[in-house]
Amino acid sequence: MKYQSTALGEVVEGDDPAHPDIDKREQILERALTAWGWTANIYRHEPPAPRVRFVKFTAESQTPGASYTLEVYIFPNLADSARDRPHEKRIQITRDYAEHQADFELDKAGSHRCLLLGFYCLDDDEVVICAWDAAAYQGHANPTSAYVHIEAIAGAFRFGFARSQDAKGRYVCCFRPEFLHYYVENMAHLHVVEGAGTGALPGEETPTAVTPTALTGGENVIFYGAPGTGKTHTVDAMVDGKLCVRTVFHPDMQNSDFVGALKPVMQEDRVTYSFSPGPFALALRNALAQPDRENYLVIEELNRAPAAAVFGDLFLLLDRDGVGAGKYDVDFPTPEFKAWLSTSLDREIDRVSLPSNLWLLATMNSADQGVYPIDTAFRRRWRQEYVPIDYSAAPNGTLDIVMGDGSIQTVPWHVFAKTMNDHLTEQLDIAEDRLLGPWFVTAEDLARSSLVPGKVLIYLWDDLLRHHGREKVFDVSAVKTFGEISARVAASQRIFSDALLAKFSGGEPASGT
């Protein structure tokens, strides 16, 4: 009898999956090392033909904050332990220790490290990496086996990361490829077993567990402003190269979508249920797993959903203390969420609170139609960051304006936006957060055509001027519907009012930038 893991993290009877060849192992390694903004150069050391199961790669990998040279030993699919233990898998080291002694003795906390890995590969996308502590196999015999429980592999499929202990009490780490960055940066303590020397080999001192210093400064920030001011771009610059979970709020968003919930999945011919983490659960797990790194949860279009209802009981977590940690904690919304998080972190988590290394960043435009109002109690728990209209940051490009006499005047996009905004402010008292931001159109929009983009016109006609003021911007004697505007633009005919065209005829405004 053999036991295997499914991609859903269930342990079932079955035969071992097919072994990935050397090329496939290299592809998986490269995919894992280039996740989360890492870069990697990988070099393969071709072994003699009889030893192709013991493949070594050297990888030079860089993160935003560190560089590593990794000596990586990769085994194919883990086979049964052959010791009448159907729940146990193994890899087998079949080289003399002297061949790789220098690598196995590398410091786990240095920039030059050794990784001892086994791949459990169901298909191209469903892979779990098992990692042993190479230092625990110093001076090994030839051959020597290293073991892992199939339940830990199943846990990694289901939750992303899991650990098990072998017969000598040593931790084996199991994780999906995208968690390799986490393993490398924390391997100095992930293999450490608390307590007396259960994890040490004869003659080896019991290592001391390393607890990373918790990063502080986390906060909640809302970026708001007119459409096209670059709110998302501002957020992108903040999270560049850092761990980030991103979501977009929408009118049907619910608390269970945001946090996570039990969802049905098909397992062979039956329906089962498992916890599917939402963006909040994923961001919280990442932050708790790596307390010494900045982690971000980005919420685009915060006010397109009833934000307070989507947060639910988590609303209380938004109050932070002086170092950025949540002042309060709350019960887990569901026991399934608690079980998932505790298993993912390999420790019991009793209450939910915001760690000091988790930033919540949100974007919104309060002037958009069809948005939900955000009440004061919710909004005051966020720092408000207004993103102003900066015409100097506008993309390059020009638009053709048809004047009253039928002539064409070409104006730069930033001049068009400023002239239009000044006119809307002076004639209609339009609020600043409803004006045209410099990135309302993109450089691609401007390169595609010199006609006034339809998305600018529909925003003016329907969003800003639906109820009054169309005559201040458009020539309503010639256009009564947006369809007529679109047709006249395509035919290079006038669409704007005399008052607006008078401002364009003066060329670039003196105050334009």
Side-chain angles (χ1 to χ4, degrees):
M1 180 185 300
K2 298 180 180 180
Y3 287 98
Q4 311 297 339
S5 175
T6 69
L8 298 176
E10 293 189 345
V11 177
V12 297
E13 293 184 32
D15 294 326
D16 291 328
H19 293 269
D21 59 21
I22 297 177
D23 290 336
K24 178 61 65 176
R25 285 177 248 173
E26 183 172 358
Q27 292 171 14
I28 295 170
L29 177 63
E30 181 177 17
R31 185 179 73 197
L33 284 175
T34 54
W36 300 100
W38 286 37
T39 60
N41 294 314
I42 299 175
Y43 310 93
R44 181 191 300 182
H45 301 266
E46 295 288 354
R51 298 177 174 177
V52 294
R53 291 175 61 82
F54 198 133
V55 183
K56 176 185 174 183
F57 300 90
T58 296
E60 296 175 351
S61 186
Q62 288 188 330
T63 74
S67 298
Y68 300 97
T69 298
L70 305 173
E71 308 299 342
V72 188
Y73 293 85
I74 303 178
F75 293 79
N77 272 357
L78 286 73
D80 286 323
S81 69
R83 298 193 304 174
D84 195 27
R85 297 181 182 177
H87 286 259
E88 198 170 57
K89 302 294 179 183
R90 70 170 178 171
I91 59 172
Q92 194 168 49
I93 304 174
T94 55
R95 285 184 177 179
D96 292 336
Y97 179 67
E99 295 183 43
H100 45 263
Q101 177 177 355
D103 293 340
F104 275 42
E105 294 177 357
L106 289 171
D107 185 355
K108 290 192 289 293
S111 61
H112 191 189
R113 304 184 184 183
C114 179
L115 305 186
L116 183 58
L117 308 179
F119 285 177
Y120 189 88
C121 183
L122 297 179
D123 56 40
D124 289 350
D125 297 320
E126 301 296 346
V127 178
V128 161
I129 299 175
C130 299
W132 288 262
D133 181 6
Y137 294 88
Q138 292 179 11
H140 66 74
N142 180 11
T144 289
S145 294
Y147 300 93
V148 63
H149 294 292
I150 191 63
E151 286 80 6
I153 297 174
F157 272 125
R158 188 172 183 183
F159 303 115
F161 195 98
R163 290 193 299 180
S164 70
Q165 287 182 287
D166 64 13
K168 293 185 178 181
R170 299 168 294 199
Y171 272 133
V172 183
C173 299
C174 303
F175 46 87
R176 285 184 176 269
E178 59 266 26
F179 279 82
L180 181 58
H181 68 285
Y182 168 70
Y183 172 74
V184 170
E185 293 195 340
N186 295 278
M187 60 187 296
H189 65 272
L190 283 173
H191 292 289
V192 173
V193 178
E194 301 281 355
T198 56
L201 294 174
E204 181 183 15
E205 293 184 1
T206 302
T208 301
V210 177
T211 302
T213 302
L215 189 69
T216 61
E219 59 178 339
N220 318 315
V221 187
I222 294 176
F223 296 89
Y224 70 102
T229 51
K231 299 180 288 294
T232 297
H233 178 76
T234 301
V235 170
D236 285 344
M238 289 185 65
V239 304
D240 183 37
K242 302 181 177 71
L243 297 178
C244 176
V245 175
R246 205 174 204 121
T247 188
V248 180
F249 275 15
H250 55 82
D252 293 330
M253 191 87 168
Q254 299 180 24
N255 178 257
S256 58
D257 300 314
F258 183 53
V259 176
L262 279 178
K263 293 187 178 180
V265 292
M266 286 298 300
Q267 176 59 46
E268 298 178 350
D269 59 346
R270 60 192 178 92
V271 177
T272 61
Y273 289 82
S274 63
F275 181 78
S276 177
F280 177 82
L282 291 172
L284 180 63
R285 187 269 312 277
N286 292 345
L288 292 174
Q290 302 175 83
D292 56 341
R293 296 187 65 184
E294 293 181 26
N295 284 264
Y296 291 85
L297 172 59
V298 175
I299 304 171
E300 301 279 7
E301 307 289 353
L302 176 69
N303 56 338
R304 290 199 175 274
V310 171
F311 271 76
D313 290 344
L314 304 180
F315 183 112
L316 187 63
L317 303 181
L318 296 175
D319 283 310
R320 296 186 186 246
D321 61 20
V323 299
K327 289 183 179 180
Y328 309 109
D329 54 26
V330 298
D331 290 328
F332 279 89
T334 65
E336 293 80 19
F337 179 18
K338 178 180 180 180
W340 173 85
L341 185 61
S342 297
T343 303
S344 296
L345 299 173
D346 198 32
R347 65 179 188 269
E348 189 69 19
I349 306 294
D350 294 322
R351 305 270 291 174
V352 184
S353 63
L354 284 187
S356 61
N357 67 322
L358 178 58
W359 277 255
L360 272 60
L361 307 181
T363 65
M364 59 174 272
N365 175 20
S366 58
D368 279 350
Q369 293 190 33
V371 298
Y372 289 84
I374 295 182
D375 62 73
T376 303
F378 183 85
R379 191 162 182 168
R380 72 175 179 81
R381 287 171 164 82
W382 300 71
R383 178 166 66 83
Q384 314 292 304
E385 189 76 26
Y386 180 70
V387 182
I389 297 175
D390 180 7
Y391 298 106
S392 66
N396 294 323
T398 59
L399 297 178
D400 290 341
I401 308 300
V402 181
M403 306 304 289
D405 60 2
S407 63
I408 303 294
Q409 180 159 328
T410 300
V411 298
W413 156 248
H414 77 274
V415 173
F416 176 91
K418 187 178 190 311
T419 303
M420 181 65 74
N421 288 342
D422 289 347
H423 185 72
L424 291 169
T425 302
E426 295 168 4
Q427 297 294 317
L428 295 165
D429 291 326
I430 299 296
E432 185 176 1
D433 61 355
R434 303 189 70 194
L435 300 176
L436 296 175
W439 288 97
F440 197 99
V441 300
T442 65
E444 291 75 17
D445 293 331
L446 297 170
R448 190 177 301 117
S449 173
S450 61
L451 300 177
V452 180
K455 63 182 178 182
V456 172
L457 298 174
I458 194 68
Y459 177 69
L460 295 170
W461 183 266
D462 267 353
D463 285 9
L464 290 188
L465 310 174
R466 175 184 293 270
H467 301 295
H468 74 285
R470 286 175 174 171
E471 73 283 355
K472 300 290 186 180
V473 174
F474 294 99
D475 179 10
V476 294
S477 66
V479 295
K480 306 296 184 185
T481 66
F482 183 76
E484 292 176 338
I485 291 177
S486 182
R488 289 179 71 85
V489 168
S492 296
Q493 295 176 331
R494 167 185 169 174
I495 60 169
F496 292 127
S497 68
D498 289 335
L500 180 57
L501 290 178
K503 293 184 177 180
F504 284 124
S505 66
E508 184 170 342
S511 60
T513 58

